[in-house]
Every structure is written in C-alpha cells, then in structure tokens.
Amino acid sequence: MYELIIIGAGPAGMTAAVYAARKKLDTLLLSKELGGQPIWTLGIENYMGYQFIEGPELMHKFEEQVKQFPIEVKTGDGAVSISRLDGGFEVRTEKGKTYQGKAAIIATGKRPRPLNVPGEERLKGRGVTYCAICDGPLFEGMRVAIIGGGNSALEATDDMIKIADHVYLVSLTPLTGDQVLIDKVKGAANLTIFTEHETLEIAGDNFVS
C-alpha cells in the first residue's frame, strides 16, 4: 500500500508529487499521460518566471523536476474508479490493474464542456473541434465560429484571427475573460463578436456549414 496515490499528471498532479516526495511519502503518480492540458497549449504568457513559454516545454520542465525524486510514475493507463477500503483507497485502471493507497489526490484536470446542441456530436471531427491549437491550422482561410466568452475562447480567437478568413465569437454572456485578452482580439478586422447570443444548432451534412 502506497502512502499516497495521485491520479493525474498535469501541473497540479506533478506539483503534488514533488511536495509529497519532499515529505518522504511513498507516492504513486498515475496518469494516462504526463503534462495534462498545457501539452496542447502553444503559448503560455501568465506563468510567473516566464514571459512566454510553450506548454510542452513547461511540462517537460515539470517532468524533469518530478524525476529528481523517487516517485513511482505509471503512465499509459488511466484511472476509471476509486473506492474506499479500510485504512485507505483502491484505484482501478482502464487495464484492470488496482493500486492501494492510504490517501489519494484526484488531479484529473478538466475536459471541454460540450454545447449539447443538435449537430455537435454528429459533426465532431468534421468541423467541430475543441482545441484551436491542435486543429486550428486545418481551418486556414475558412470562416470559423468560436463558442464561448472566457479565456479559453479568447485564446482560441487570438489564434484563429491570424489564419482564418473570418472569425465569429459567439458568447452566451458578456465576455468574461481577462481584459488583456479581450483587448488583444477586439480590434481585429476579421472578427465579429456576438455577446448574449445562444448557440442552438451546428448545421452541415458531411462537414460544418
């Protein structure tokens, strides 16, 4: 039985592992992959100590720091359940393995929230995407709609106005992202912003239209 099992190896999980190792806890870091969401982030401008750093580069630095300590790291097999036992917890993975620990930290990060509108699921991968960094270059020269009004939507907008023919930013609320991001995109000639508009449907036959 480990003293601590950490589920998730993004920034939070890896930081927790380093703190645990410094306290000499027998720790297991369990995750499908190292790096979490920043792996898919091209540029990070709000991490103290770096005026600009790419997400994968920053996560590589996290990984190097984790490797300085005797932390057992298991990747390629994500957790699917966690249950209580006498004196601790049991974690079961996708491959059917089980691990036991006296304590557990769940640092599994976040996933994109679907709109749950008609057409979204059917057109996923055919014009509907949740990662501007990953898939944005596929839409170069096209008209693109970005749904949302927070930092993620504004960062995606900043990426896409550089390569798309025109970008429509559609937000259910007034823009809620950081003012510095709003200022960065709002003057773009190829950007139209619709606030307090609800997305009702994503249309298209074989591809988003």
Side-chain angles (χ1 to χ4, degrees):
M1 179 176 283
Y2 295 93
E3 290 182 272
L4 175 65
I5 297 175
I6 301 168
I7 305 170
M14 286 196 278
T15 300
V18 168
Y19 273 83
R22 289 172 61 88
K23 297 293 184 182
K24 304 293 185 183
L25 298 179
D26 179 25
T27 301
L28 170 65
L29 181 62
L30 178 66
S31 182
K32 204 157 191 177
E33 60 185 9
L34 288 174
Q37 192 167 347
I39 286 292
W40 307 108
T41 303
L42 182 61
I44 295 173
E45 299 176 338
N46 58 355
Y47 188 81
M48 293 304 294
Y50 297 97
Q51 188 169 351
F52 175 90
I53 188 168
E54 293 185 351
E57 182 185 357
L58 182 58
M59 289 303 96
H60 180 65
K61 292 180 182 296
F62 273 54
E63 183 182 353
E64 287 179 338
Q65 193 160 345
V66 167
K67 287 179 176 177
Q68 292 179 6
F69 297 93
I71 300 164
E72 187 171 351
V73 179
K74 292 186 181 293
T75 57
D77 189 14
V80 293
S81 68
I82 181 170
S83 55
R84 289 297 300 263
L85 338 141
D86 287 338
F89 299 88
E90 181 173 88
V91 178
R92 185 175 296 276
T93 72
E94 293 172 349
K95 295 180 180 177
K97 295 182 178 179
T98 57
Y99 302 97
Q100 296 181 353
K102 294 178 182 177
I105 293 175
I106 300 174
T108 47
K110 65 175 186 174
R111 293 290 180 270
R113 185 177 63 185
L115 291 168
N116 294 316
V117 298
E120 178 183 14
E121 184 65 30
R122 181 172 56 84
L123 294 168
K124 194 179 293 183
R126 291 185 288 174
V128 173
T129 181
Y130 301 92
C131 180
I133 294 299
C134 321
D135 301 320
L138 300 173
F139 309 130
E140 184 176 359
M142 299 184 186
R143 288 178 295 142
V144 175
I146 295 170
I147 315 301
N151 283 346
S152 295
L154 289 165
E155 287 168 357
T157 299
D158 185 44
D159 292 330
M160 293 310 301
I161 56 178
K162 298 178 177 74
I163 60 173
D165 176 59
H166 199 91
V167 175
Y168 301 92
L169 178 60
V170 184
S171 176
L172 185 61
T173 64
L175 299 180
T176 57
D178 295 343
Q179 189 62 45
V180 65
L181 289 172
I182 296 173
D183 294 342
K184 197 172 183 180
V185 303
K186 67 180 181 181
N190 63 336
L191 173 65
T192 303
I193 300 175
F194 296 100
T195 56
E196 299 178 271
H197 280 64
E198 183 177 2
T199 301
L200 300 179
E201 180 183 3
I202 299 173
D205 294 326
N206 295 317
F207 198 83
V208 172
S209 62

